[in-house]
Amino acid sequence: MTAFPAWYFDESKMAGVDFEDEARVAVYDRNQTASTPEKERALVNRLGIASEHTVIDLGTGTGNFAIQASLTGASVYAVDISQAMLAYAQSKAQKAGATTIAFHQAGFLTYEHQDRLADFVVTKNALHILPDFWKMSAFLKMAAMLKPKGVLYLRDVIFSFPPADYKASINEWIQQVAKPEGEGWTARDFEMHVREEHSTFAWIIEGMLTRSGFEIVEANYNTPTYTEYLCIKAA
Ligand SMILES: C[S@@+](CC[C@H](N)C(=O)[O-])C[C@H]1O[C@@H](n2cnc3c(N)ncnc32)[C@H](O)[C@@H]1O
């Protein structure tokens, strides 16, 4: 086990939503309509994940992606800082018959990959939990976990609107996506995300990706507030 210096970021003190609260985990699973088995299966197919591959899912949450990757026969490492999330994901994996997942309670900055280098690192809707300085450390660690030419897939709340438009863009986003109480993520949830979590601009993320040894082969600015990247680790 690595000993971390006193200045190291404490990942156990999670910003924003408390994912150690079991009730919040079940609500999360219900509200996270961007992560259904069908959508995750489509992503697994799009990435070309198959039985010979090793896949690391960082911030796995309730495990929808890890489960679909495992159903191909791939070796999957599902990593999350929250024990409550992992317990929920484990129970879902068992019900789905996904038997090739190793669950690890660890964070972006503390997970130590002990097995063979991965073909894929996937992280969805989770990296925003880290301030930018620590996102850079996380990218360096992701690069170290991958084989040369390995693939990093990143999707998150990442802003591609012009910086000067930030007030209008954030307000517009929240108005468009917020649901009434009890029907999904509310305006309060999105407000808290912007205020307390660490979503940042696409050009900052892109600078970090290239400086950590990735080539960005696809950048999809799906909306002004969600971005996905497909990257290859330089050989
Ligand atoms: C919004 S959920 C996303 C879950 C899943 N990837 C998805 O797409 O639905 C964010 C997840 O990141 C986890 N998390 C928070 N801080 C973390 C950290 N420092 N390292 C790894 N995971 C973390 C949370 O416990 C939670 O399960």
Side-chain angles (χ1 to χ4, degrees):
M1 275 256 284
T2 309
F4 293 102
W7 47 260
Y8 212 66
F9 188 77
D10 182 356
E11 294 189 283
S12 67
K13 297 202 175 87
M14 231 184 284
V17 181
D18 177 9
F19 286 128
E20 281 303 359
D21 173 344
E22 280 174 29
R24 296 255 2 157
V25 171
V27 170
Y28 175 83
D29 200 41
R30 214 173 43 240
N31 285 351
Q32 190 60 347
T33 51
S35 175
T36 61
E38 296 71 30
K39 287 178 185 164
E40 301 296 11
R41 195 171 317 126
L43 177 58
V44 165
N45 292 341
R46 180 178 152 206
L47 294 176
I49 293 173
S51 59
E52 67 273 22
H53 292 136
T54 297
V55 181
I56 302 172
D57 183 16
L58 295 170
T60 195
T62 57
N64 287 330
F65 173 80
I67 290 168
Q68 293 305 317
S70 166
L71 291 175
T72 68
S75 301
V76 180
Y77 296 81
V79 180
D80 204 286
I81 202 84
S82 155
Q83 191 48 54
M85 275 289 188
L86 287 171
Y88 198 95
Q90 253 164 320
S91 142
K92 277 180 79 163
Q94 204 171 13
K95 286 184 197 136
T99 55
T100 60
I101 310 179
F103 291 93
H104 291 271
Q105 187 182 13
F108 288 106
L109 304 173
T110 47
Y111 175 62
E112 290 178 31
H113 188 60
Q114 307 280 10
D115 213 332
R116 60 187 175 142
L117 291 176
D119 301 281
F120 296 90
V121 168
V122 170
T123 184
K124 296 186 297 88
N125 309 314
L127 192 69
H128 62 258
I129 215 78
L130 296 179
D132 284 0
F133 177 82
W134 296 103
K135 287 190 188 85
M136 183 69 211
S137 298
F139 283 137
L140 290 166
K141 283 184 69 82
M142 290 178 208
M145 292 171 206
L146 278 166
K147 289 177 184 167
K149 300 273 181 201
V151 172
L152 167 64
Y153 175 85
L154 163 69
R155 181 181 193 276
D156 207 347
V157 176
I158 296 171
F159 304 135
S160 59
F161 49 73
D165 294 350
Y166 74 95
K167 283 186 189 157
S169 300
I170 295 288
N171 282 332
E172 217 168 280
W173 173 43
I174 295 176
Q175 271 165 21
Q176 278 171 5
V177 293
K179 301 251 169 46
E181 193 74 49
E183 291 177 30
W185 303 119
T186 65
R188 269 190 302 146
D189 293 318
F190 290 103
E191 286 157 4
M192 186 187 68
H193 178 101
V194 177
R195 189 177 60 240
E196 294 178 27
E197 304 191 16
H198 304 284
S199 278
T200 192
F201 287 108
W203 46 272
I204 294 176
I205 293 287
E206 287 159 19
M208 292 189 197
L209 284 168
T210 49
R211 281 169 178 78
S212 41
F214 289 104
E215 182 195 344
I216 300 170
V217 291
E218 232 184 278
N220 296 318
Y221 308 103
N222 296 324
T223 69
T225 47
Y226 291 96
T227 306
E228 67 169 2
Y229 295 101
L230 196 60
C231 308
I232 306 279
K233 178 184 166 171

